[in-house]
């Protein structure tokens, strides 16, 4: 990949230009930019906001609320009705009712959705501010810590280990600065940066631009300063981001799957309705209008709003449980997550590592080993880790403060190679008087493989060919006890800058042993997750023996383990099988963690990843639900979907429960509403063939659908059975079609029974004659109004009551009670729609008052319908072992 294809020309120009020219042309003083210069730069070069967040404006939310496939259908219906009922109609027959109702539905639906969108935007903006990365910026002569979004071209920024590069920079001053550009290139190579001017034509890839730091790169070690040359979409990272915004995530794929099922039903039914109505009624324009209303009636118009409401309710509940949900769609991931990958440190263990032993090569306590380890940790400018912190706390031991203070004064740092996950060691070059020593600290195997000699009590000897076996004879027992062991080595050097070859031919001096006790809550939390059918996979960079020891203490099955080296040896066919069966992965690189996550996803799992280290960032980004903690590096927090304010698996278990509750309530709405709508449309298809008029006007059908959907907005607050949350839930339309085909036609049976009662009994009795005998009279219009009102009420009663019946596998109201809001809203809804038929508003849309005998019939039909659905529900559960 050629780097200069996406690097902004301005950034390229100054890579080959001296910093003095840069300062002069951008008018940068030693005081940094002034407030006036910041405003000018904002106007000229734009803000440091990527296209995704920049486009998230109120106007964008307004457009998304009102413009969607279903509102477009409603708009087309309104336009056609305006032409046929107003422009082409005579003055006497001109009627604005249909147009007014459809436009009202458009406005109500859009406004309700827009209010929800604004709430979601406020939450998103608030959370973005909470977790936005901050950066040190020189403004008005002071170093200020500001949000990265406030950076402008020309700003001077300072970088330290653990930072994420906030924009594309031309480096002006560095000290042992090492960065990882894996977010841009996918490669885990650690690159050293400098501030020198490049020669023309020497750089062709991102890695070769050694005096540039690109947005999104992670600072692994050292410090540096640079001038911002590109912000937002002008950055390399911004170019990638904007090009990938169309890539669907798992949530989008699930939503599209559901939409496809609904569209398939629509495509199959709408032409049938159009042909049947047109052929039997002779009015093809009315048939077309009615077929369009069927298309809308079949689809839950407020589906996006109900989904948003359920997810927002879940994320709000999680917010009360020490969890910040950055990406609201991550709630769906929580609901369907069946594999959780965790790192070991701080998740399973207490995250308070203590240095237990510092010893020579035979296991005796050695002050020299501790001194060299202390100097290595003290001068290491890479990302701080718990092991370095544990070593440095030794200076706080009683009576040791003066010793370590003198050590710092005696040894001066010259150069370093910071730790990276390929070498698995860190190297510091120090100077003591005229003597120069390379001090190396790292994993047992990585350090010992570079050693040619061993030193014991001042005596140096050549390391035997089986030296590694001798080392493990000393350290294996500690590893089996769950301790983490590092090796310490050194090497005298004659020069003051490091080269790669210097890390060979080392002298092994001794070992450090650390202990990280398992959390007392971890075992119970892991058992709770397993009870909820979430498989735990431990992915760690620690030694295999340490990881296995910790996992066994916590009850995690460690019979199947894999190391990074063993993973590399697996073939393409063997890899997915082995990863599926393995629970503990040790000695992994960041790239291998990503590989495991991807393989689990390919195997059909919804994968969450919980981590806080820079080595976890690629896997967090790759997972379906990336989870981090508030103490993690800024780069890690930015990449995560969810931030835990407390690093505890119990918090996560609560999040999974909330995700499944939100998921279950969304499924209730989609499946019950779609199946009920399908039953209504199926009834219309049959009735349209035999009835001499439409069983319901297009306006009545749309109103019925919209008002029922609005009642369903209370579903996010419904209770959910514990059994419904016991298993991960699948977010797709795979079973939606089956559910609609099974339960939809059941309602059609009672619709047809109602049709027969209305057409042959009630309407002829009230109107004093059959429909045919009333031809051309006002009574015939009354006949139609009675019929349409009767079916309107029967449809509404059955739709609302079936919501209670199918919301649970149990007996509704007795074994599983809905929440009070659901009970109240559905009861009031039935009363409202029934009373509507007696009001002038009802008369405007063709509804009329019905006699008492109809309501007696309605109660009997509804009870029979509920009994049949109860039996059908039991049969469905026995056959398919699920309901929603």
């Amino acid at each position: 990949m050629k780097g200069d294809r996406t690097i902004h020309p301005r950034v390229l120009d100054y890579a080959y230009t001296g910093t003095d020219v840069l300062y002069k042309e951008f008018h940068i003083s030693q005081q940094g930019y002034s407030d006036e210069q910041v405003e000018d730069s904002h106007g000229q070069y734009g803000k440091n906001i990527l296209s995704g967040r920049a486009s998230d404006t109120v106007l964008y939310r307004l457009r998304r609320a009102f413009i969607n496939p279903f509102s477009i259908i409603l708009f087309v219906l309104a336009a056609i009705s305006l032409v046929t009922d107003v422009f082409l109609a005579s003055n006497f027959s001109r009627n604005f009712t249909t147009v007014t109702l459809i436009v009202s539905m458009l406005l109500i639906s859009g406004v309700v959705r827009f209010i929800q969108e604004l709430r979601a935007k406020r939450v998103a903006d608030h959370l973005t501010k909470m977790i936005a990365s901050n950066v040190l910026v020189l403004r008005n002569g002071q170093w200020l810590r500001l949000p990265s979004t406030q950076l402008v071209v020309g700003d001077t920024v300072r970088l330290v280990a653990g930072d994420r590069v906030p924009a594309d920079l031309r480096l002006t001053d560095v000290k042992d600065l090492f960065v990882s550009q894996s977010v841009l290139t996918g490669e885990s190579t650690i690159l050293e940066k400098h501030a020198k001017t490049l020669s023309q034509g020497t750089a062709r890839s991102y890695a070769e631009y050694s005096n540039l730091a690109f947005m999104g790169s992670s600072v692994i070690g050292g410090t540096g300063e640079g001038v911002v040359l590109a912000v937002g979409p002008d950055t390399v990272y911004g170019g990638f981001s904007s090009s990938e915004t169309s890539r669907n995530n798992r949530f989008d794929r699930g939503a599209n799957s559901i939409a496809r099922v609904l569209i398939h039903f629509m495509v199959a039914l709408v032409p049938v309705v159009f042909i049947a109505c047109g052929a039997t009624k002779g009015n093809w324009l009315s048939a077309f209008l009615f077929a369009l209303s069927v298309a809308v009636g079949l689809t839950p118009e407020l589906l996006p709003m109900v989904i948003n409401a359920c997810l927002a309710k879940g994320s709000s509940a999680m917010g009360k449980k020490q969890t910040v949900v950055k990406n609201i769609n991550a709630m769906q991931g929580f609901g369907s997550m069946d594999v959780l990958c965790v790192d070991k440190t701080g998740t399973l263990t207490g995250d308070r590592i203590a240095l237990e032993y510092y010893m020579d090569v035979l296991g005796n306590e050695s002050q020299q080993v501790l001194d060299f380890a202390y100097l290595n940790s003290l001068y290491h400018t890479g990302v701080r880790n718990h092991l370095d912190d544990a070593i440095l706390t030794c200076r706080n031991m009683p009576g040791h403060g003066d010793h370590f203070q003198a050590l710092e004064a005696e040894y001066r740092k010259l150069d370093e190679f910071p730790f990276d996950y390929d070498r698995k060691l860190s190297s510091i070059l120090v100077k003591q008087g005229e003597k120069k020593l390379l001090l190396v600290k790292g994993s047992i195997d990585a350090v010992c493989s570079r050693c040619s000699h061993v030193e014991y009590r001042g005596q140096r000897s050549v390391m035997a060919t089986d030296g590694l076996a001798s080392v493990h004879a000393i350290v294996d027992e500690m590893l089996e006890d769950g301790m983490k062991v590092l090796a310490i080595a050194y090497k005298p050097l004659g020069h003051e800058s490091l080269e790669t070859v210097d890390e060979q031919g080392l002298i092994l001096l001794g070992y450090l042993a650390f202990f990280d006790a398992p959390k007392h809550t971890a075992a119970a939390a892991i058992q709770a997750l397993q009870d909820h059918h979430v498989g735990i996979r431990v992915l760690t960079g620690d030694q295999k023996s340490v990881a296995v020891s910790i996992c066994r203490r916590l009850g995690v099955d460690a019979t199947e383990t894999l190391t990074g080296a063993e993973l590399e040896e697996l073939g393409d066919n063997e890899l997915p099988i082995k990863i599926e069966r393995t629970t503990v992965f040790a000695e992994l690189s960041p790239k291998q963690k990503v590989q495991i996550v991807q393989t689990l996803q390919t195997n059909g799992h919804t994968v969450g990843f919980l981590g806080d280290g820079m080595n976890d960032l690629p896997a967090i980004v790759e997972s379906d639900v990336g989870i981090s903690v508030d103490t993690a590096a800024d780069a890690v927090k930015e990449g995560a979907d969810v931030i835990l304010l407390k690093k505890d698996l119990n918090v996560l278990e609560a999040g999974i429960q909330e995700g499944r509750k939100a998921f279950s309530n969304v499924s209730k709405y989609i499946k019950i509403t779609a199946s009920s709508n399908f039953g209504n449309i199926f009834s219309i298809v049959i009735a349209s063939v035999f009835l001499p008029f439409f069983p319901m006007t297009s306006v009545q059908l749309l109103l019925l659908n919209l008002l029922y959907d609005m009642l369903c907005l209370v579903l996010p607050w419904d209770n959910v059975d514990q059994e419904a949350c016991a298993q991960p839930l699948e977010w797709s339309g795979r079973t939606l079609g089956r559910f609609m085909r099974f339960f939809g036609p059941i309602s059609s049976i009672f619709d047809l029974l109602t049709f027969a009662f209305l057409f042959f009994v009630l309407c002829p009795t009230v109107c004093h004659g059959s429909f045919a005998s009333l031809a051309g009279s006002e009574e015939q219009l009354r006949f139609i109004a009675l019929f349409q009102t009767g079916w309107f009420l029967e449809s509404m009663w059955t739709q609302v009551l079936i919501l209670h019946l199918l919301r649970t596998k149990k007996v509704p109201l007795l074994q599983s009670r809905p929440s009070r809001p659901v009970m109240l809203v559905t009861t009031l809804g039935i009363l409202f729609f029934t009373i509507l038929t007696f009001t002038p508003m009802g008369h405007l849309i063709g509804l009329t008052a019905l006699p008492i005998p109809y309501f007696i019939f309605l109660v009997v039909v509804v009870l029979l319908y509920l009994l049949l659905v109860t039996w059908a529900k039991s049969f469905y559960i026995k056959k398919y072992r699920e309901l929603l």
Side-chain angles (χ1 to χ4, degrees):
M1 177 176 58
K2 300 295 184 185
D4 53 6
R5 289 180 184 172
T6 52
I7 300 174
H8 196 279
R10 181 170 59 251
V11 181
L12 284 175
D13 288 343
Y14 286 103
Y16 302 111
T17 306
T19 55
D20 52 341
V21 177
L22 172 65
Y23 282 118
K24 182 179 179 181
E25 294 186 357
F26 278 91
H27 308 290
I28 304 169
S29 70
Q30 292 183 345
Q31 306 297 309
Y33 260 13
S34 64
D35 293 338
E36 185 179 348
Q37 286 176 302
V38 170
E39 288 300 319
D40 291 342
S41 184
H42 260 152
Q44 185 173 356
Y45 301 108
K47 297 182 179 180
N48 194 31
I49 300 174
L50 296 180
S51 56
R53 290 299 303 160
S55 63
D56 190 10
T57 61
V58 173
L59 185 63
Y60 167 74
R61 296 277 180 166
L62 183 67
R63 186 174 73 249
R64 198 164 75 166
F66 281 92
I67 300 177
N68 57 66
F70 309 124
S71 63
I72 289 172
I73 293 173
L74 283 173
F75 181 78
V76 171
L77 267 176
I80 295 173
S81 179
L82 184 66
V83 172
T84 56
D85 293 349
V86 179
F87 294 153
L88 300 181
S90 63
N91 291 332
F92 178 74
S93 61
R94 189 169 293 163
N95 187 350
F96 286 90
T97 305
T98 304
V99 177
T100 305
L101 269 174
I102 294 177
V103 171
S104 298
M105 282 188 279
L106 265 173
L107 289 174
I108 292 171
S109 176
V111 167
V112 173
R113 172 79 190 273
F114 182 55
I115 291 170
Q116 182 63 39
E117 288 280 0
L118 282 182
R119 286 177 179 170
K121 174 174 165 51
R122 279 199 297 270
V123 171
D125 291 343
H126 176 63
L127 295 179
T128 299
K129 289 176 184 176
M130 284 179 66
I131 53 84
S133 62
N134 294 323
V135 62
L136 280 171
V137 190
L138 184 61
R139 295 264 181 94
N140 300 310
Q142 291 184 317
W143 285 101
L144 306 174
R145 187 165 286 279
L146 300 176
S148 58
T149 53
Q150 294 185 18
L151 286 182
V152 298
V153 171
D155 262 332
T156 302
V157 302
R158 180 176 289 168
L159 304 173
V160 297
D163 282 352
R164 186 177 183 180
V165 179
D168 285 358
L169 312 176
R170 166 65 161 93
L171 296 169
T172 57
D173 183 34
V174 302
K175 184 177 181 183
D176 297 323
L177 183 64
F178 292 84
V179 303
S180 167
Q181 296 178 172
S182 60
V183 72
L184 303 177
T185 64
E187 299 171 359
S188 58
T189 308
I190 307 299
L191 304 171
E192 185 172 11
K193 295 290 185 176
H194 59 71
K196 301 172 186 175
T197 304
L198 298 182
S199 301
Q200 285 288 344
T202 56
R204 291 180 179 165
S205 67
Y206 295 124
E208 291 172 342
Y209 285 97
S210 51
N211 63 354
L212 300 179
F214 299 110
M215 183 183 201
S217 302
S218 304
V219 180
I220 302 301
T223 59
E225 292 180 12
V227 173
V228 177
L229 290 179
V231 293
D234 288 341
T235 63
V236 173
Y237 184 81
F240 287 166
S241 176
S242 61
S243 67
E244 293 179 1
T245 51
S246 62
R247 182 170 59 90
N248 286 340
N249 56 30
R250 188 177 289 267
F251 179 84
D252 296 327
R253 292 197 299 270
N256 290 341
S257 171
I258 292 167
R260 279 195 298 272
V261 173
L262 295 175
I263 289 170
H264 287 160
F265 274 87
M266 198 184 299
V267 169
L269 283 176
V270 169
V272 174
V273 173
F274 173 62
I275 293 170
C277 291
T280 55
K281 313 299 181 296
N283 188 336
W284 290 96
L285 180 59
S286 296
F288 175 71
L289 279 173
F290 192 69
L292 279 180
S293 66
V294 164
V296 179
L298 183 63
T299 309
E301 296 105 315
L302 301 185
L303 174 60
M305 190 163 59
V306 172
I307 291 174
N308 280 346
C310 286
L311 297 182
K313 170 68 168 54
S315 63
S316 175
M318 285 184 66
K320 298 172 184 176
K321 298 178 180 179
Q322 296 184 305
T323 306
V324 176
V325 181
K326 281 174 55 187
N327 178 6
I328 198 172
N329 288 349
M331 289 303 303
Q332 175 272 329
F334 269 124
S336 55
M337 181 170 67
D338 60 340
V339 171
L340 175 64
C341 298
V342 299
D343 65 349
K344 179 184 69 65
T345 305
T347 305
L348 304 181
T349 56
D351 208 10
R352 293 178 182 172
I353 296 176
L355 176 61
E356 293 286 320
Y357 307 110
Y358 40 95
M359 54 201 143
D360 60 26
V361 291
L362 293 184
N364 305 303
E365 187 173 298
S366 171
Q367 183 65 42
Q368 186 183 17
V369 169
L370 178 58
D371 288 349
F372 281 9
Y374 179 86
L375 290 168
N376 180 286
S377 296
L378 177 69
Y379 291 129
H380 179 235
T381 60
V383 179
R384 277 277 172 229
N385 60 62
H386 305 297
L387 301 178
D388 284 324
D389 292 338
I391 294 169
L392 293 176
T393 55
C394 291
R395 60 190 166 198
N396 299 325
M397 293 189 298
H400 284 69
D402 292 340
H403 169 76
F404 287 109
Q405 195 172 359
L407 202 65
E408 293 178 32
E410 186 180 354
Y411 289 86
R412 183 170 58 87
K413 178 184 174 183
L414 296 176
D415 200 3
E416 78 167 311
F417 282 158
F419 177 87
D420 70 61
Y421 294 95
D422 291 328
R423 291 162 42 249
K424 296 186 178 179
L425 50 84
S426 63
S427 299
I428 306 292
L429 180 60
V430 296
K431 184 175 183 180
Q432 181 195 31
E434 295 302 317
K435 185 167 64 173
K436 304 173 191 69
L437 290 178
L438 174 63
L439 309 179
V440 179
K441 176 178 93 265
S443 73
I444 294 292
D445 291 347
V447 173
C448 292
S449 64
R450 289 171 163 81
C451 290
S452 59
H453 290 77
V454 176
E455 185 173 306
Y456 176 66
R457 293 186 176 177
Q459 299 296 315
R460 194 178 303 171
S461 57
V462 176
M463 196 169 188
T465 53
D466 62 345
L468 196 56
S470 302
V471 169
H472 279 286
I474 301 294
V475 302
D476 278 357
E477 187 175 348
M478 290 182 286
L479 293 173
E480 289 167 5
D481 287 338
M483 291 188 176
K484 183 174 180 64
V485 182
L486 298 182
I488 301 296
Y490 79 102
K491 179 182 178 181
L493 288 181
H495 44 271
E496 296 191 355
S497 61
L498 287 177
E499 298 175 3
T500 306
V501 70
D502 292 333
E503 289 186 326
Q504 301 295 329
L506 303 175
I507 302 164
L508 180 62
L509 190 64
Y511 318 107
L512 302 172
F514 304 83
F515 186 64
D516 189 9
K519 281 185 177 177
H520 66 278
T521 60
I526 288 172
Q527 185 59 51
L529 288 170
Q530 291 173 340
D531 290 342
H532 287 96
H533 301 276
V534 178
I536 301 293
R537 302 288 194 277
V538 178
L539 279 61
T540 179
D542 282 349
Q543 290 106 322
K544 176 180 175 180
S545 51
V546 175
V548 169
S549 174
I550 295 292
C551 290
R552 282 175 178 164
R553 294 186 195 190
L554 295 174
V556 176
D557 182 14
T559 52
E560 293 285 346
T561 60
L562 266 181
T563 64
E566 292 167 345
L567 196 66
E568 292 290 334
E569 298 297 321
L570 296 176
D572 292 341
N573 294 329
E574 191 181 5
L575 185 69
I577 299 171
K578 193 71 175 174
I579 287 178
E580 183 69 29
R581 294 175 179 172
T582 303
T583 52
V584 180
F585 301 84
E587 302 170 29
L588 298 176
S589 68
K591 189 175 181 180
Q592 288 172 326
K593 290 184 179 183
V594 172
Q595 183 184 19
I596 292 167
V597 169
Q598 290 173 334
T599 303
L600 288 169
Q601 289 171 327
T602 304
N603 288 353
H605 296 289
T606 301
V607 183
F609 192 100
L610 170 60
D612 64 348
M614 292 296 294
N615 60 319
D616 297 320
L617 178 58
I620 285 174
V621 173
E622 187 63 33
S623 64
D624 297 302
V625 187
I627 310 160
S628 189
V629 292
D630 63 336
T631 55
D634 286 340
V636 179
K637 287 192 288 186
E638 280 195 19
D641 300 305
V642 176
I643 308 293
L644 303 184
L645 302 182
K646 181 180 179 183
K647 193 170 184 181
D648 190 340
L649 287 177
N650 285 302
V651 175
L652 207 53
E653 190 255 340
I656 289 170
Q657 284 288 81
E658 291 299 336
R660 291 182 183 177
K661 285 180 184 178
F663 208 166
S664 180
N665 284 332
V666 171
S667 295
K668 288 177 191 176
Y669 172 75
I670 294 172
K671 289 191 173 181
I672 297 172
T673 304
S675 65
S676 182
N677 289 352
F678 172 61
N680 285 345
I681 304 308
F682 189 67
S683 303
I684 288 171
V685 172
I686 297 172
S688 298
V689 176
F690 298 103
L691 290 176
F693 52 84
F694 293 117
M696 195 181 292
T697 67
S698 58
V699 175
Q700 291 167 353
L701 185 61
L702 292 171
L703 182 65
L704 175 71
N705 199 40
L706 178 71
L707 295 178
Y708 169 75
D709 280 350
M710 292 184 71
L711 290 182
C712 289
L713 287 176
V714 77
L715 277 178
W717 288 267
D718 191 19
N719 297 329
V720 178
D721 297 336
Q722 284 190 346
E723 294 82 351
C725 297
Q727 299 269 4
L729 302 172
E730 182 185 8
W731 176 243
S732 77
R734 186 178 60 85
T735 61
L736 176 59
R738 183 182 72 194
F739 191 92
M740 291 172 66
R741 289 190 298 270
F742 187 90
F743 287 102
I746 294 176
S747 68
S748 297
I749 295 171
F750 293 90
D751 286 341
L752 295 176
L753 182 61
T754 303
F755 290 167
F757 173 75
L758 290 170
F759 192 80
F760 294 111
V761 179
L762 183 72
C763 293
T765 302
V766 174
C767 297
H768 310 293
S770 65
F771 183 80
S773 67
L774 299 172
S777 68
E778 287 290 326
E779 285 298 311
Q780 192 177 62
L781 294 177
R782 189 182 177 206
F783 189 104
I784 294 173
L786 284 168
F787 185 98
Q788 292 175 340
T789 305
W791 190 45
F792 180 90
L793 282 180
E794 187 263 350
S795 294
M796 176 49 64
W797 278 47
T798 53
Q799 272 193 299
V800 173
L801 292 175
I802 206 65
L803 195 63
H804 287 278
L805 202 63
L806 294 181
R807 59 171 286 278
T808 175
K809 289 183 178 181
K810 300 178 180 179
V811 177
L813 302 179
L814 299 177
Q815 294 178 328
S816 175
R817 296 180 65 84
S819 65
R820 285 186 180 180
V822 170
M823 197 70 195
L824 181 65
V825 169
T826 52
T827 303
L828 291 177
I830 289 177
L831 288 174
F832 171 78
F833 290 121
T834 304
I835 294 170
L836 179 67
T837 61
F838 294 92
T839 64
M841 177 64 187
H843 298 157
L844 279 175
I845 57 173
L847 301 177
T848 188
L850 291 166
I852 296 297
Y854 168 78
F855 290 99
I856 297 172
F857 168 81
L858 180 61
V859 170
V860 173
V861 164
V862 168
L863 287 175
L864 289 173
Y865 174 54
L866 295 179
L867 285 172
L868 181 57
V869 171
T870 301
W871 174 84
K873 182 175 76 171
S874 300
F875 177 81
Y876 186 91
I877 293 170
K878 285 180 182 177
K879 184 174 182 180
Y880 298 111
R881 300 178 181 273
E882 65 177 8
L883 182 61
L884 296 173

